[in-house]
Amino acid sequence: MLVAAAVCPCPPLLVPEVAGGAAAELDEARAACDDALGVLTAARPDRLLVVGPAAQPERGAFPPGARGSLRGFGVAVEARLGEGPPGERALPPSLTIGAWLLERTGWAAAPVEGLGVGEPLAPERCAAVGRELAAATDRLALLVMGDGSACRSPRAPGAYDERAVAFDEATARALGEANTAALAALDAELAEDLRAAGRSSWQLLAGAGEATGLAGRLLYHEAPYGVGYFVASWS
C-alpha cells in the first residue's frame, strides 16, 4: 500500500555543481525537495522506490546500490540508491538526480530501489504498474521524478507553445490535491507535444495512490528556464 509520495523535478541543474554560478536560482526548489523527502521519512515506509523517465536501454528495475553519474553534464558527481553492490547498469539521469536528493538529505529510513519508465508508456499501463507496486509492499513510499512542459517561453528547450501553461497548471493542481483521477486523465499526446518528461511517472503514481485517501500538498511550481518544475508531497 502506498503510504507516502514525494514528487520532484529532475533537471541536472538541480545539482549546484552542474548549475555553477546559477545554482542559487533553484535554491527554493531544492529546499522544497528536502521538505518533500522529509514527509517520506516521517511515513516510515518498508520500501522506497524512486521512479523517473528513462530512455532505452535505461528502463526497468534498478536494485539497491545502483549508481549513476553526471559526468555527461560536465561534473564528477555520482549518486547511488542506498546500500548494495553497484549493479550492471548505470542509473538514468532522472534516477541519478533522485539518488542525489536522497544522499543530500541523508536518507536511511528504508531500502531504496529504482524504476526507469518510458515516456511512451500508455496511461492505462502506467496506472496498472502503480497498482501492482502498491499491492506488493505493506508500506510503500514513492519518490517520483519528472518535469513538466518544456515550452513555457521562447527560450525554453522546446518551441514556445501556448498550451504549456494550462497543462502545467492542471498538473500542479492534480499533484497538490493528490487527485489521482486528474493525473490519470493527463493527455499523453499533449504531454509529448509539450516535451513533458514526467507524464508516465505521474500516472504510475496515480495508479499507486488510488483509494488510499492520501492528502497532497504543492510545495513548489515555477518555470525558471521555460520548463515546468513541481514539488509535491502526499501523506
Side-chain angles (χ1 to χ4, degrees):
M1 178 179 178
L2 184 70
V3 295
V7 176
C8 295
C10 54
L13 287 171
L14 201 61
V15 178
E17 291 88 338
V18 177
E25 295 178 10
L26 289 180
D27 280 350
E28 186 179 351
R30 293 184 199 97
C33 290
D34 293 347
D35 290 343
L37 266 62
V39 171
L40 299 186
T41 300
R44 302 178 64 182
D46 298 326
R47 175 192 184 200
L48 172 63
L49 185 65
V50 184
V51 179
Q56 291 285 22
E58 298 174 323
R59 296 171 186 168
F62 292 85
R67 303 184 185 194
S69 170
L70 296 178
R71 290 183 183 277
F73 299 94
V75 297
V77 174
E78 296 184 353
R80 68 178 182 176
L81 293 174
E83 299 296 329
E88 298 180 356
R89 295 189 301 150
L91 297 171
S94 66
L95 300 189
T96 300
I97 300 301
W100 176 82
L101 286 171
L102 291 170
E103 290 185 347
R104 165 186 166 90
T105 55
W107 175 267
V112 185
E113 300 170 56
L115 180 65
V117 182
E119 276 304 291
L121 194 64
E124 297 80 7
R125 182 58 186 149
C126 294
V129 171
R131 294 185 198 102
E132 293 166 6
L133 291 168
T137 303
D138 286 340
R139 297 185 62 80
L140 173 69
L142 293 177
L143 172 54
V144 182
M145 311 300 295
D147 299 336
S149 71
C151 304
R152 292 277 293 267
S153 74
R155 294 186 178 181
Y160 172 73
D161 192 312
E162 62 183 5
R163 301 172 295 174
V165 170
F167 176 87
D168 283 348
E169 288 181 347
T171 301
R173 186 163 53 251
L175 291 171
E177 297 173 354
N179 188 332
T180 58
L183 286 176
L186 290 176
D187 188 319
E189 291 187 5
L190 177 59
E192 182 178 6
D193 287 349
L194 298 176
R195 300 177 61 178
R199 188 275 308 169
S200 58
S201 299
W202 302 327
Q203 291 185 322
L204 184 152
L205 170 62
E210 286 179 358
T212 59
L214 296 179
R217 183 184 174 201
L218 185 66
L219 303 173
Y220 180 87
H221 172 208
E222 299 290 344
Y225 307 111
V227 181
Y229 296 150
F230 316 104
V231 181
S233 63
W234 293 16
S235 62

